[in-house]
Amino acid sequence: MPQHDAHARLAVSTVIFALSPDDAGAAGGTAGDLAPGRPASLRIPLVRRLREPGLGRWALPGGWLPVDEALDAAAARTLHETTGLAPAYLEQLYTFGEPDRSPGERVVSVVYWALVHSDEVLRAVSDENVRWFDEDALPDLAFDHAAVIGYALARLRTKLEYSRIAHALLGETFTMAELRQVHEAVLRRRLDPANFRRTMESSGTLVDTGERLAGTRHRPPALYRFDPARTPVTSPTSAGPPHAASVTAPAPPATGTHSKDTP
Amino acid sequence: MPQHDAHARLAVSTVIFALSPDDAGAAGGTAGDLAPGRPASLRIPLVRRLREPGLGRWALPGGWLPVDEALDAAAARTLHETTGLAPAYLEQLYTFGEPDRSPGERVVSVVYWALVHSDEVLRAVSDENVRWFDEDALPDLAFDHAAVIGYALARLRTKLEYSRIAHALLGETFTMAELRQVHEAVLRRRLDPANFRRTMESSGTLVDTGERLAGTRHRPPALYRFDPARTPVTSPTSAGPPHAASVTAPAPPATGTHSKDTP
DNA sequence: GCAAAAGTGTTCTCCATACACCCATGG
DNA sequence: CCATGGGTGTATGGAGAACACTTTTGC
């Protein structure tokens, strides 16, 4: 890797989160078919590096920043090119720029994190070079990407507490139990169904669709939807101008190629 | 400004906050001499641009990122070069990269925010091209720097609520009233002295020095110090590896020059 | 009817707020 | 002694945790 000028190179990468649909099992039902019994978990798609440095290891999807493209647009584009996904939520995470984080060349990476709807996941690319990993079973990662993912997880957890972003991991409608499972998967602890229900209902972000989910083994639960008026409540910090581009994202041109080679 | 390659240029800038010492008035006393009566306010040092684009307007201190320098080191260095200050707290804020934010050239700015002790401020450079502005009386700013500062303010306010960073705006010792004034200045609202005291005392981060501040018109208040063991509590998000370099900062070589010309 | 999940009600504790009140000092 | 801020005590209200309880379905 030659270093042909005196500047650092700028890359954009994204940590993508989705809810485990417990193997690519049967379609139909509600959002991503969350098993009612055991807890769901977070999954992260990674791409295999096809070049040095880090050849063969797994890395975050991303790419070099084109001169004329906005940062968030580049994140959404590379994300879509590598995984075929369109994010329901996309926000800048952190910019990593230690001089030695990529061997041979100075690379500064602007890292984003994204959430995708569970029903989007079925559409996702998955082959030899793109694979989904469970949050707590990540492979050997290239560069500092293990640390990057760890940081993204921490941010997701703290953000869930004061924001209402869990819906970005679900489909259009969902049961109260499914919503609770999202929180449980993210926070990695059990929540009291009764208290969770009350908290959510009093938050004013939920709308009861009136419908009920049939086909369960027992009493059919109500189906909810997020109030589109209130939903884009991203964060209290969004008093400023930048920050999260909540809800439906760019999703540009769409070539099916997935490769890329950036820290 | 010629565009001699196909990359964006990388700059590092810093939003610096200090507490108003109400004009560069008399030295001595406690931390920065906060007037007991009226509320303190936040002040921000800005540098005048000496070149196009934005010639003559005020901007954040910063500079281009050298190939071999870490991001936070570059922030601390440029900060020190332009203002003569050493930050007590330094944390990455956000990376701004809209394609059109700087006319003529694509510039991506990694922006940091810093807090400096009030007794540091006396040491600060202040001349024709470096001046301190009150948070709510900012001048006409170059580039998107007005928005950047607004975002930094929002972050400072929300961060103060769950973190203990107020000490970075004070001197070595301080009274409970001074600490409260920091919070009041940052949050822009009055706080109940009684409840504030209890909250702080039960947080376990304060140490009573045993001394009292003489020379006040009335009952002499106790002087406190921050518990150095507990102080570096930066944030709950610091579960990851990057994030804030709390407390005493780098403060590198130190040339006295202040100029720079980056968005 | 029985198992299991949906959904409701009640209590308790913790913590932030409001505010009444005493303490110490300079003038 | 009195004005002023330092410092303490106490009541109230809302949010969350714990948990007993009723409801509704499939089998």
Side-chain angles (χ1 to χ4, degrees):
Chain A
M1 290 287 128
Q3 188 172 310
H4 51 288
D5 59 28
H7 297 76
R9 294 189 75 184
L10 243 182
V12 176
S13 303
T14 306
V15 183
I16 306 166
F17 294 110
L19 222 56
S20 64
D22 280 329
D23 293 274
T30 0
D33 291 309
L34 300 179
R38 56 197 172 287
S41 66
L42 287 171
R43 311 196 85 201
I44 301 170
L46 298 172
V47 301
R48 201 192 289 274
R49 283 193 57 80
L50 303 174
R51 290 189 232 166
E52 290 294 352
L55 194 154
R57 301 168 84 184
W58 296 93
L60 295 171
W64 302 112
L65 177 73
V67 231
D68 55 354
E69 191 174 36
L71 294 170
D72 50 2
R77 179 181 51 76
T78 57
L79 181 162
H80 187 263
E81 287 175 0
T82 50
T83 63
L85 294 166
Y89 182 84
L90 182 68
E91 182 188 330
Q92 195 183 104
L93 175 67
Y94 196 81
T95 297
F96 297 83
E98 290 302 300
D100 58 351
R101 58 186 289 276
S102 175
E105 189 179 23
R106 175 72 188 278
V107 178
V108 171
S109 287
V110 182
V111 177
Y112 279 74
W113 63 290
L115 303 177
V116 298
H117 285 148
S118 57
D119 47 12
E120 268 281 307
V121 176
L122 302 171
R123 237 166 279 160
V125 172
S126 186
D127 59 29
E128 184 69 16
N129 297 318
V130 180
R131 248 177 48 197
W132 291 76
F133 293 90
D134 208 278
E135 163 219 351
D136 49 14
L138 293 172
D140 188 34
L141 286 152
F143 311 110
D144 52 2
H145 287 191
V148 172
I149 291 175
Y151 183 52
L153 275 164
R155 178 97 139 233
L156 169 60
R157 293 202 168 99
T158 62
K159 186 127 199 178
L160 189 68
E161 289 174 2
Y162 63 88
S163 178
R164 297 292 175 259
I165 56 173
H167 67 284
L169 288 166
L170 291 167
E172 188 61 17
T173 62
F174 47 87
T175 68
M176 193 60 78
E178 286 169 339
L179 181 59
R180 178 167 44 81
Q181 280 175 63
V182 173
H183 284 250
E184 288 177 346
V186 170
L187 301 177
R188 289 179 85 72
R189 64 188 167 94
R190 289 296 192 173
L191 299 173
D192 185 301
N195 296 327
F196 182 81
R197 164 180 299 275
R198 262 187 300 263
T199 304
M200 280 299 144
E201 280 174 344
S202 66
S203 76
T205 56
L206 294 186
V207 178
D208 191 333
T209 63
E211 297 167 47
R212 290 175 177 277
L213 176 62
T216 60
R217 278 193 304 284
H218 304 291
R219 176 174 176 175
L223 281 173
Y224 296 88
R225 178 190 315 280
F226 275 97
D227 186 340
R230 298 212 182 195
T231 301
V233 174
T234 288
S235 86
T237 36
S238 69
H243 229 58
S246 184
V247 199
T248 32
T255 56
T257 32
H258 47 280
S259 51
K260 300 310 126 187
D261 234 59
T262 49
Chain B
M1 292 285 127
Q3 190 171 309
H4 52 287
D5 61 28
H7 297 76
R9 293 190 76 186
L10 242 183
V12 176
S13 304
T14 307
V15 183
I16 305 167
F17 295 109
L19 223 55
S20 65
D22 279 328
D23 292 273
T30 359
D33 291 309
L34 298 180
R38 55 199 171 288
S41 66
L42 287 171
R43 310 196 86 201
I44 301 170
L46 298 172
V47 301
R48 202 192 288 276
R49 283 192 56 81
L50 303 174
R51 291 188 230 166
E52 292 292 352
L55 194 152
R57 301 169 85 185
W58 296 94
L60 295 171
W64 302 112
L65 178 73
V67 231
D68 54 355
E69 191 174 38
L71 294 172
D72 49 3
R77 178 180 52 76
T78 57
L79 181 164
H80 187 263
E81 286 174 0
T82 51
T83 63
L85 295 167
Y89 183 85
L90 182 67
E91 182 188 331
Q92 196 184 105
L93 175 68
Y94 197 81
T95 298
F96 297 83
E98 290 304 299
D100 59 352
R101 57 186 290 274
S102 176
E105 188 180 25
R106 175 72 187 279
V107 178
V108 171
S109 288
V110 181
V111 178
Y112 279 74
W113 63 290
L115 302 178
V116 298
H117 286 147
S118 56
D119 47 12
E120 268 282 308
V121 176
L122 303 171
R123 236 166 282 161
V125 173
S126 185
D127 59 29
E128 185 65 18
N129 297 316
V130 180
R131 252 183 38 203
W132 292 75
F133 292 91
D134 208 277
E135 163 217 351
D136 48 15
L138 294 171
D140 188 34
L141 286 151
F143 311 110
D144 53 0
H145 287 190
V148 172
I149 291 175
Y151 183 52
L153 275 164
R155 179 97 137 233
L156 169 59
R157 294 204 168 98
T158 61
K159 185 126 200 180
L160 190 67
E161 289 172 4
Y162 63 86
S163 179
R164 297 291 175 258
I165 55 175
H167 66 286
L169 288 168
L170 291 168
E172 189 59 17
T173 62
F174 47 88
T175 67
M176 193 60 78
E178 286 170 338
L179 181 58
R180 177 167 46 82
Q181 279 176 63
V182 173
H183 283 251
E184 288 177 346
V186 170
L187 301 176
R188 290 178 83 73
R189 64 188 167 93
R190 290 295 190 174
L191 300 172
D192 185 303
N195 296 328
F196 181 80
R197 164 178 300 275
R198 262 186 299 264
T199 305
M200 281 301 145
E201 280 175 344
S202 66
S203 77
T205 56
L206 294 187
V207 177
D208 191 332
T209 62
E211 297 166 47
R212 289 176 178 277
L213 176 62
T216 60
R217 279 193 303 283
H218 304 293
R219 176 174 176 175
L223 281 173
Y224 296 88
R225 177 192 314 282
F226 276 96
D227 187 341
R230 298 211 182 196
T231 303
V233 174
T234 288
S235 87
T237 35
S238 69
H243 231 55
S246 183
V247 200
T248 33
T255 57
T257 31
H258 47 278
S259 51
K260 302 308 129 190
D261 233 61
T262 48

